[in-house]
Amino acid sequence: MSQTKKVTDLRSALAVLRKFDDELIETDEPVDPSAELSGVYRYIGAHGTVMRPTRIGPAMLFNRIKGYTDMRVLIGLLASRKRVARLLDTTPDKLAFLLKDAVSTPISPVVIPQENAVCQEVVHLASDPDFSILNILPAPTNTPEDAGPYFTLGMCYAADPHTDDHDITIHRLCVQNRDEISMYFVPGRHLDVFRQKAEEDGAPLPISISIGVDPAIEIGACFEPPTTPLGFDELSVAGSLRKQPVELCQCLTVNARAIANAEVVIEGELIPNYRVREDQNTNSGKAMPEFPGYTGQAQQMVPVIKVKAITHRRHPILQTCIGPSDEHTNMAGIPTEASILQLVERALPGFVQNVHCPSPGTGKYLAVLQVKKRLPNDEGRQRQAALLAFSAFSELKHVILVDDDVDIFDLNDVIWAMTTRYQGDISTVFIPGVRCHPLDPSSDPAFSYSVRDHGIACKTIFDCTVPFTMKGQFRRSEFMEVEISRFLPDNFKY
């Protein structure tokens, strides 16, 4: 039986990781969720765009949280591409192909009877006068200057109030008081479309936030348009990855569905025409560290979820991540790779060999495309592939093109190609004035005269491929193939 069939929820995912020596650390040392927990993991395995020193390392499960008697916190589950591959029963270089196939063969979720929903083993109702979000859940802060405690890995699930189409996405969720959570939407997100429709009707939007789920759900939830258009339920991607539908249950206090085997579920409603300042409790002007590696600015007017209940499994595990860590890069980048592969394969069959959205590119801003020029008329197709990549993912800022003899998962090899197969004046294509992503601090008129509004960027193609007519002059040195194991100690890994 493959690992894929064994993983159905967070706990079975952790059981897979425990089979390996280098994938999971558990500690009983008490930890403060306020900045200390993230401060520890910054050194252990955050990597990504986190300020150095940091590293790729194992996930960590903190079994004792200060101030909480029956709550554990997991961080870094997806902060290693190798670990993501193990949890999805594939290899790191094949992840994009696996996701591409999954989004093309969706399996819709199903609703199960509530008596089978383990996420509702323990119920806390907001109508209880002693109810408080932070008395139940140890929402962490990434740094001491955060606007407040955040839920960073909540699977936010809601329905279009006019069509009943469902969507699941991840948003930054800041605890504002005993029963309110602010929700920041980057413009264009589908859940915000649902919220706006409900608000125009003068009605709240019921929503569930499932935390601590099968990692296939967390990866699948990060697909974006045009790969998953409005009305596409990304839970069906996870269903395809696991070859069985994701199980949902009806919420107890709102007309919404939640992931039935989640560790924690927050039930609530997005209130129409109600906004708060994200940092109203700290006045720091800061939100939290975001994927580009900088702390985002606190938003002045963000929508609010009125929490109606919190349910959870017995002895629950709250899952969190560091905003700029590789956990974010992998969740954002691997679906982006799949989206690019899907579109370029339709237009240029067999030309693009693989795609990598690497850690320093944040999973959103940079893609490396490996192409194979077989015929003279393939010259120029590499730049067409780059244009298609920008179409496949609108937030992409840079594309680096390399030949098929370059390892796109080794940035040393990519930089070597840029050094020896690239001339800035003829190998660079600038596409100025294109909408990109508002969290890129350089996409601002103060940074460049070419940027007319915040969030607009100059998209750039770096063509580091060898002209077809010169391929013979750029052959890499070939070495003798040998059986090296007979020269090495038995325990030497290579």
Side-chain angles (χ1 to χ4, degrees):
M1 183 180 290
S2 70
Q3 291 173 7
T4 299
K5 293 180 180 178
K6 294 178 182 177
V7 177
T8 57
D9 61 3
L10 179 60
R11 298 187 188 196
S12 54
L14 293 178
V16 168
L17 297 188
R18 289 188 178 101
K19 297 177 181 179
F20 302 95
D21 295 331
D22 58 346
E23 293 290 28
L24 179 65
I25 293 174
E26 293 192 49
T27 177
D28 293 327
E29 178 68 22
V31 68
D32 192 331
S34 180
E36 185 179 42
L37 189 149
S38 294
V40 172
Y41 195 66
R42 173 262 183 108
Y43 290 102
I44 300 301
H47 201 245
T49 56
V50 171
M51 186 172 68
R52 274 49 184 164
T54 186
R55 64 191 288 269
I56 298 174
M60 283 195 76
L61 181 60
F62 293 87
N63 291 322
R64 296 181 63 191
I65 311 301
K66 291 180 180 179
Y68 299 84
T69 57
D70 186 35
M71 184 68 64
R72 297 170 285 171
V73 176
L74 174 70
I75 189 169
L77 179 69
L78 302 176
S80 151
R81 193 180 181 97
K82 179 178 71 174
R83 189 154 59 248
V84 174
R86 283 173 165 168
L87 290 168
L88 297 182
D89 200 24
T90 187
T91 57
D93 60 316
K94 297 298 183 184
L95 279 166
F97 294 92
L98 180 72
L99 268 289
K100 176 179 72 72
D101 292 342
V103 79
S104 299
T105 56
I107 297 177
S108 298
V110 296
V111 180
I112 65 170
Q114 283 188 276
E115 57 265 27
N116 297 332
V118 294
C119 69
Q120 295 175 352
E121 289 176 336
V122 181
V123 177
H124 307 268
L125 298 176
S127 56
D128 186 329
D130 295 327
F131 178 91
S132 173
I133 297 167
L134 293 179
N135 285 345
I136 303 166
L137 302 177
T141 56
N142 273 195
T143 74
E145 66 177 4
D146 287 7
Y150 277 90
F151 298 110
T152 55
L153 275 179
M155 305 297 110
C156 303
Y157 195 54
D160 186 318
H162 296 171
T163 67
D164 202 40
D165 289 332
H166 282 74
D167 185 82
I168 189 163
T169 43
I170 302 171
H171 300 268
R172 76 182 189 215
L173 305 166
C174 186
V175 180
Q176 296 295 342
N177 57 45
R178 65 178 292 275
D179 64 351
E180 292 185 348
I181 298 172
S182 64
M183 187 173 187
Y184 171 58
F185 291 99
V186 172
R189 294 295 186 258
H190 290 169
L191 280 187
D192 198 32
V193 174
F194 297 172
R195 182 196 63 78
Q196 290 174 39
K197 286 184 177 182
E199 190 166 80
E200 288 170 1
D201 296 339
L205 180 71
I207 189 169
S208 70
I209 303 165
S210 299
I211 305 173
V213 298
D214 177 356
I217 294 173
E218 295 166 342
I219 292 287
C222 293
F223 273 100
E224 296 188 20
T227 307
T228 53
L230 185 66
F232 186 105
D233 189 341
E234 288 85 0
L235 284 178
S236 62
V237 178
S240 182
L241 287 169
R242 297 304 188 200
K243 304 295 188 290
Q244 61 184 35
V246 173
E247 294 183 341
L248 303 173
C249 65
Q250 187 65 31
C251 291
L252 299 176
T253 60
V254 296
N255 184 24
R257 297 168 183 170
I259 296 167
N261 58 21
E263 292 289 324
V264 173
V265 173
I266 302 171
E267 302 180 3
E269 294 176 330
L270 277 157
I271 305 302
N273 304 308
Y274 178 34
R275 307 288 189 272
V276 300
R277 184 162 50 88
E278 197 170 13
D279 65 336
Q280 64 177 347
N281 294 312
T282 63
N283 298 310
S284 67
K286 307 285 188 179
M288 58 166 283
E290 282 284 4
F291 65 91
Y294 305 95
T295 297
Q297 291 185 344
Q299 297 296 305
Q300 295 303 301
M301 295 182 68
V302 284
V304 174
I305 299 169
K306 194 75 168 180
V307 175
K308 301 296 184 179
I310 294 173
T311 71
H312 59 76
R313 300 181 71 164
R314 296 185 184 93
H315 198 36
I317 303 170
L318 186 74
Q319 194 177 350
T320 189
C321 77
I322 292 176
S325 72
D326 265 349
E327 190 148 25
H328 188 288
T329 299
N330 289 326
M331 286 191 294
I334 296 168
T336 300
E337 295 166 4
S339 297
I340 293 170
L341 274 176
Q342 183 187 68
L343 188 56
V344 297
E345 182 60 23
R346 288 176 183 170
L348 303 169
F351 184 68
V352 173
Q353 306 301 295
N354 211 337
V355 180
H356 185 208
C357 295
S359 177
T362 77
K364 286 178 174 280
Y365 293 168
L366 170 65
V368 184
L369 273 61
Q370 182 191 59
V371 304
K372 188 169 185 175
K373 300 177 186 176
R374 296 181 175 92
L375 302 168
N377 63 4
D378 281 338
E379 185 59 53
R381 294 190 194 277
Q382 73 275 15
R383 299 188 182 190
Q384 185 179 354
L387 295 173
L388 288 166
F390 290 131
S391 299
F393 187 69
S394 64
E395 295 170 357
L396 191 62
K397 181 180 178 183
H398 295 152
V399 171
I400 299 176
L401 299 163
V402 297
D403 293 296
D404 60 307
D405 62 344
V406 176
D407 182 354
I408 60 173
F409 298 99
D410 181 349
L411 289 185
N412 288 328
D413 218 28
V414 174
I415 296 301
W416 167 81
M418 180 172 280
T419 303
T420 65
R421 301 177 175 185
Y422 170 89
Q423 289 293 331
D425 58 338
I426 63 164
S427 305
T428 316
V429 179
F430 299 112
I431 312 171
V434 186
R435 181 66 60 177
C436 193
H437 197 286
L439 291 181
D440 174 7
S442 70
S443 294
D444 192 271
F447 194 93
S448 171
Y449 65 89
S450 72
V451 176
R452 305 181 92 180
D453 185 30
H454 185 78
I456 287 176
C458 178
K459 302 198 178 217
T460 309
I461 301 170
F462 301 90
D463 189 349
C464 305
T465 64
V466 175
F468 185 84
T469 56
M470 299 181 68
K471 288 183 72 172
Q473 298 167 239
F474 285 83
R475 288 180 180 158
R476 302 183 76 160
S477 304
E478 295 187 14
F479 294 82
M480 179 186 294
E481 288 297 330
V482 297
E483 177 52 60
I484 65 171
S485 60
R486 62 192 179 93
F487 298 96
L488 301 173
D490 292 339
N491 61 351
F492 186 85
K493 295 182 180 180
Y494 61 90

